[in-house]
Amino acid sequence: MQARKKYVLLGLCASCWLLLFYWGGGVQLRLLRLLSRQRAEVVRPWPNWTDRAFLPRYAHLDELQTDPGTAESPRQRRQAWSAIYKDSRCRMETCFDFSRCRRRGREGFRVYIYPSEKNDRVSESYRKILTSIGESRYFTSDPREACLFVLGIDTLDRDQLSGQFVPNVDERIRGYPLWNDGRNHLIFNLYSGTWPNYTEDLGFNIGQAILAKASLNTEHFRPGFDVSIPLFSKDHPQKGGERGWLVRNTVPPRRKYLLMFKGKRYLTGIGSDTRNALHHIHNGKDIVSLTTCRHGKDWEKHKDARCDHDNLEYERFDYQELLHNATFCLVPRGRRLGSFRFLESLQAACIPVLLSNGWELPFSDVIQWNQAVIEGDERLLLQVPSTVRAIGNERVLALRQRTQMLWEAYFSSVDKIVLTTLEIIKDRVFSHISRNKYMWNSLPGGLLVLPEYSTHLAHFPFYYLGLGVNPGQEFTAVIHAVSPLVSQSQPIMKLLQVVSKSKYCSQIIILWNSEKPPPSRSKWPPMPVPLTVTDGRRKTTSRFLPHVAIETEAVLSLDEDTVLLTSEVNFAFLVWRSFPERIVGYPPRSHFWDPLKRAWGYTSKWTNDYSIVLTGAAFYHRYYHYLFTHYLPQSLRTLVDRTSNCEDILMNFLVSAVTHLPPIKVAQRKQYKELPSPQGTKTVPWANPEHFNQRQECINTFASWFGYMPLVHSQFRLDPVLFKDQVSVLRKKYKDLERA
């Protein structure tokens, strides 16, 4: 009986609790509705949430990517993508044949370009891409050697309404015997899809090919397989490119305008939501955000009430002036996720503020973009001004400096964009000898750091300062010998004695480049350091081969007739240890621009400045041997060998391109004389009247390949402390250097 009462009581309590919850919840809902209705009647300042222009900023991300009139659901887009790209799950391990690349070891990374057919239309941009590959050290004309294949068909513009659109690509590539469902193929694309949705549909099945594409969506990006590239214009330079606009350590780091944008406003369609809202942050003072409706053939048919005012305001400001004087640059999405504003902002050192949700940033595999850009959210535009105002000056300067490093290393030319793409793929193929993130994101950039040389940071001269590492305390002398040994009084004999007496000398290597065989070891004088005579293979460039025998970081390059004192060698070496990334030496030369000939000139006159230090008597890091041999194209090395000239100029070009700095000249006695050649030897090269003309031609050929003039002028010379000071000779360490 007592138990029954207990159960009845529990049932009544449960019923009461349910009734209270039901009626109480209803009351709460009614109260919430009443409160919200009262709040809606209160007149509030900005933001006005009923303004339709603001609604998209708080919409779902997928809703921002489509035009309401032609909207597709996310599921429909995924299904369409899967139908076109059946291998959307491709990774290097599943869709790439590594055996094609590894059968020849590290030299196996070769790229083959399919020949273009007679009536093929090839855009200027795609022609530049193919030229970059064709002139690279990876190109092969033999498909049997190839690790990677690139189509001759122009796939850059896959907008069917474009004049650059190439039809029937699917049918054509399936007919290629080597297509193999796209395996080991690389496809470049800048524009995909067409009006009104601008989807990522390329109009053909890429199969298992790697896609190097601009405006890649993170939803469709295949990590570790595809490569996101920047959108660049047809006017983007083939080589070199302009330098960035930032002067190092610019003070103050902030500019006249805090934030700027000037560009098109899309009245309808995809991308219009973001662009239509930009006028809300414009104040005409420190924030300038301008859009114009005046573009396209029928813009007036779609113009709204704001167009006339926006167009007038748009004309008040000059884009270049804004770019030069803004700290932050808005980079909103256009019809596609990427835009030309991205590269323009990087070059101008105007910190990009990205408003392009879902964009896989260029070369995202290797570049740490958080050190160079601010990533915003399209739906939270109004938070952008307060966000950038809160960034401190130190951070602003660091961001601006990083934009310059990235621009010059990877984006200033089509060459760099293409080579970066190839190097990223190569690092994936040979992952055990790939570059790390530090190498990609610090000077001089990944393109100039060859991991085949080493993957250890401390083995590269330009990382010493950042790592707190000091270079080694010994050097290897490499003497380039072209004359047969006929007398013990030849200059090379005295040079051997002088160099071997240096307490820093570890070994001496003689590169025998004479037509006659080298003499036996007994013909050479006894020395306190090891002497090695090696075959120069009768090539001028053999002096810069990465010889295995060179064990020290420092290399002293010498011509056989160089006249030096041991104290001069010692002083130059100690100077080099303070500047291990540069060439440090004695004989200077200079280049100049000849406006009449519209060409670069070369001079050996003693002047107040210089841009070249000849490698006939100079120190540099041994890594430059490796870079000279494996980075520079075969065409330049062939030119040097054919003329037996200019190798020293080419080495200066290379080192200045890496460092963006001039070489360093050290104090010397002006006692260099053109000694008469011994009987039976060849005349010295500078006695040949063609020698100087060849050097003039070389300097222009080298500048053409680099795409700019990397040599930097300097008036800097380093002398020993107390050099020619009126003090006791006993207090001077390098007193012999003062002999006139």
Side-chain angles (χ1 to χ4, degrees):
M1 192 67 182
Q2 293 296 328
R4 185 182 298 172
K5 287 181 180 178
K6 193 180 293 183
Y7 285 123
V8 169
L9 186 60
L10 284 172
L12 288 171
C13 289
S15 301
C16 291
W17 184 82
L18 287 171
L19 286 170
L20 283 171
F21 178 81
Y22 176 78
W23 290 106
V27 169
Q28 286 178 342
L29 284 172
R30 284 193 293 274
L31 283 171
L32 283 172
R33 286 172 186 161
L34 181 62
L35 285 171
S36 63
R37 196 176 296 123
Q38 288 174 348
R39 284 174 185 159
E41 292 171 359
V42 178
V43 178
R44 293 170 300 166
W46 168 95
N48 181 7
W49 308 118
T50 59
D51 185 352
R52 294 185 64 184
F54 284 89
L55 291 178
R57 291 181 290 103
Y58 298 90
H60 190 272
L61 178 59
D62 290 314
E63 296 171 20
L64 293 175
Q65 313 300 326
T66 56
D67 180 34
T70 56
E72 291 179 295
S73 70
R75 179 180 294 178
Q76 287 173 319
R77 285 200 304 279
R78 283 193 293 271
Q79 288 173 347
W81 174 264
S82 300
I84 299 165
Y85 303 104
K86 297 176 182 177
D87 296 283
S88 58
R89 296 185 181 275
C90 266
R91 298 296 181 266
M92 294 294 287
E93 296 77 18
T94 58
C95 295
F96 194 87
D97 183 3
F98 289 90
S99 65
R100 292 198 66 96
C101 310
R102 292 173 175 170
R103 58 191 174 199
R104 295 178 60 207
R106 296 178 183 179
E107 300 300 317
F109 192 79
R110 292 287 180 265
V111 185
Y112 174 78
I113 301 174
Y114 285 89
S116 298
E117 296 181 15
K118 201 169 188 180
N119 297 321
D120 275 352
R121 290 173 295 176
V122 179
S123 65
E124 183 64 25
S125 295
Y126 199 60
R127 188 174 288 110
K128 288 178 180 178
I129 288 174
L130 297 183
T131 299
S132 296
I133 297 172
E135 293 181 353
S136 76
R137 62 187 181 278
Y138 299 129
F139 174 71
T140 179
S141 57
D142 186 352
R144 294 170 299 182
E145 296 180 350
C147 161
L148 203 60
F149 298 85
V150 175
L151 299 178
I153 303 170
D154 188 345
T155 56
L156 286 188
D157 194 341
R158 301 305 297 162
D159 184 342
Q160 295 181 25
L161 300 179
S162 170
Q164 304 288 345
F165 180 79
V166 179
N168 306 321
V169 173
D170 223 347
E171 180 183 341
R172 291 175 62 182
I173 59 178
R174 281 202 303 268
Y176 291 161
L178 298 171
W179 173 244
N180 192 23
D181 195 30
R183 184 167 283 234
N184 287 54
H185 283 66
L186 174 62
I187 293 173
F188 287 92
N189 175 256
L190 294 181
Y191 306 98
S192 62
T194 190
W195 184 88
N197 290 326
Y198 298 94
T199 65
E200 297 193 42
D201 179 8
L202 300 187
F204 66 95
N205 187 358
I206 65 170
Q208 299 180 12
I210 296 171
L211 189 59
K213 186 182 184 308
S215 303
L216 256 174
N217 193 310
T218 52
E219 185 181 345
H220 303 145
F221 176 70
R222 296 172 290 182
F225 192 73
D226 292 331
V227 181
S228 178
I229 63 173
L231 182 66
F232 60 89
S233 72
K234 63 180 181 180
D235 299 321
H236 207 54
Q238 175 76 61
K239 291 177 176 290
E242 295 182 14
R243 295 289 297 272
W245 297 358
L246 178 69
V247 177
R248 289 189 179 182
N249 302 318
T250 300
V251 178
R254 294 182 182 271
R255 294 167 165 175
K256 176 181 177 182
Y257 301 107
L258 173 70
L259 182 67
M260 67 79 65
F261 173 76
K262 186 177 181 183
K264 298 176 182 177
R265 176 159 74 92
Y266 305 121
L267 298 169
T268 60
I270 191 167
S272 60
D273 299 314
T274 304
R275 296 285 180 107
N276 276 330
L278 293 178
H279 74 283
H280 288 287
I281 62 172
H282 172 72
N283 62 22
K285 297 176 183 177
D286 66 336
I287 299 179
V288 177
S289 181
L290 308 168
T291 57
T292 179
C293 308
R294 193 181 286 116
H295 59 89
K297 295 179 181 178
D298 54 354
W299 69 272
E300 289 183 292
K301 294 179 183 177
H302 303 286
K303 65 182 291 189
D304 57 20
R306 216 177 68 229
C307 277
D308 290 336
H309 174 268
D310 284 358
N311 291 343
L312 286 173
E313 190 75 358
Y314 186 87
E315 298 299 328
R316 284 184 55 219
F317 293 86
D318 178 73
Y319 178 66
Q320 291 297 319
E321 193 269 339
L322 288 172
L323 205 56
H324 275 275
N325 292 284
T327 306
F328 296 91
C329 283
L330 273 178
V331 183
R333 62 161 296 140
R335 293 301 195 189
R336 300 172 181 87
L337 292 174
S339 76
F340 296 128
R341 296 291 186 275
F342 183 66
L343 290 189
E344 291 170 353
S345 301
L346 281 183
Q347 181 184 5
C350 186
I351 303 164
V353 180
L354 308 181
L355 294 176
S356 187
N357 294 8
W359 182 24
E360 187 71 29
L361 294 183
F363 307 137
S364 54
D365 286 22
V366 297
I367 293 179
Q368 295 172 321
W369 281 112
N370 63 335
Q371 298 177 358
V373 305
I374 305 297
E375 292 194 58
D377 191 316
E378 293 178 70
R379 298 162 296 184
L380 302 175
L381 169 67
L382 298 181
Q383 292 185 7
V384 170
S386 58
T387 299
V388 296
R389 285 188 200 281
I391 299 175
N393 284 345
E394 289 184 5
R395 175 71 172 152
V396 166
L397 181 58
L399 288 166
R400 292 186 65 198
Q401 288 177 332
R402 184 50 56 94
T403 64
Q404 302 301 274
M405 178 263 155
L406 295 176
W407 164 258
E408 293 184 14
Y410 308 118
F411 299 107
S412 62
S413 68
V414 176
D415 247 15
K416 290 178 181 177
I417 293 171
V418 171
L419 288 175
T420 303
T421 303
L422 295 181
E423 294 290 351
I424 288 173
I425 297 171
K426 184 184 177 186
D427 273 4
R428 295 171 183 171
V429 174
F430 300 99
S431 57
H432 58 293
I433 49 167
S434 59
R435 304 161 184 81
N436 58 41
K437 284 286 183 73
Y438 186 88
M439 292 173 174
W440 282 107
N441 291 276
S442 59
L443 291 171
L447 297 185
L448 291 165
V449 179
L450 304 189
E452 295 87 351
Y453 172 78
S454 178
T455 56
H456 186 33
L457 293 175
H459 291 166
F460 296 91
F462 27 77
Y463 297 138
Y464 286 163
L465 184 62
L467 295 174
V469 173
N470 292 318
Q473 299 186 11
E474 294 182 324
F475 67 82
T476 298
V478 179
I479 302 175
H480 191 234
V482 295
S483 305
L485 193 63
V486 296
S487 168
Q488 292 295 314
S489 62
Q490 285 178 225
I492 191 172
M493 291 302 188
K494 185 175 182 181
L495 181 62
L496 286 170
Q497 296 292 341
V498 166
V499 174
S500 64
K501 286 179 183 177
S502 171
K503 62 181 179 180
Y504 306 113
C505 183
S506 169
Q507 59 178 329
I508 298 175
I509 298 173
I510 296 178
L511 273 178
W512 192 257
N513 209 351
S514 174
E515 295 175 356
K516 294 186 177 181
S520 61
R521 181 63 182 86
S522 61
K523 298 289 185 181
W524 300 101
M527 284 179 293
V529 296
L531 174 67
T532 304
V533 181
T534 185
D535 182 14
R537 292 183 288 180
R538 299 180 185 175
K539 287 185 177 181
T540 307
T541 53
S542 64
R543 72 187 303 166
F544 298 136
L545 284 173
H547 300 284
V548 179
I550 300 175
E551 298 176 351
T552 60
E553 295 165 318
V555 176
L556 172 59
S557 177
L558 296 165
D559 285 339
E560 61 181 5
D561 54 357
T562 302
V563 178
L564 286 173
L565 298 173
T566 303
S567 56
E568 288 179 303
V569 172
N570 290 341
F571 176 68
F573 175 66
L574 293 178
V575 170
W576 175 84
R577 293 192 74 236
S578 297
F579 303 92
E581 76 281 11
R582 300 207 225 175
I583 296 177
V584 175
Y586 291 98
R589 299 290 184 266
S590 188
H591 76 287
F592 63 93
W593 176 254
D594 188 335
L596 297 178
K597 295 180 179 179
R598 299 191 60 79
W600 294 104
Y602 171 84
T603 179
S604 57
K605 293 180 179 177
W606 289 85
T607 60
N608 285 325
D609 64 12
Y610 64 93
S611 57
I612 296 170
V613 165
L614 301 184
T615 55
F619 283 95
Y620 51 79
H621 195 280
R622 68 176 177 179
Y623 174 61
Y624 292 122
H625 274 205
Y626 197 90
L627 208 56
F628 187 96
T629 304
H630 296 285
Y631 175 78
L632 295 176
Q634 183 63 48
S635 59
L636 296 188
R637 299 199 304 275
T638 301
L639 170 66
V640 169
D641 287 330
R642 188 179 68 248
T643 59
S644 298
N645 199 350
C646 306
E647 77 284 357
D648 48 358
I649 299 177
L650 184 54
M651 178 58 91
N652 275 266
F653 265 74
L654 177 63
V655 177
S656 291
V658 171
T659 62
H660 299 299
L661 295 168
I664 291 178
K665 174 177 166 39
V666 290
Q668 74 180 83
R669 301 167 304 131
K670 294 184 182 179
Q671 291 185 356
Y672 284 84
K673 297 179 181 179
E674 295 182 8
L675 302 174
S677 303
Q679 267 191 332
T681 65
K682 293 189 293 186
T683 57
V684 289
W686 50 83
N688 184 346
E690 286 298 312
H691 178 80
F692 188 81
N693 292 333
Q694 285 175 347
R695 292 173 82 77
Q696 293 264 91
E697 293 173 6
C698 284
I699 206 168
N700 285 283
T701 302
F702 300 159
S704 176
W705 184 83
F706 279 89
Y708 71 108
M709 172 52 73
L711 297 178
V712 182
H713 281 104
S714 175
Q715 295 185 357
F716 183 68
R717 189 186 78 183
L718 287 177
D719 301 335
V721 177
L722 305 181
F723 183 70
K724 293 190 176 180
D725 281 3
Q726 299 300 317
V727 296
S728 169
V729 174
L730 297 175
R731 294 166 63 184
K732 296 186 178 184
K733 185 175 182 180
Y734 299 102
K735 53 185 178 292
D736 290 340
L737 268 65
E738 298 184 16
R739 295 177 185 173

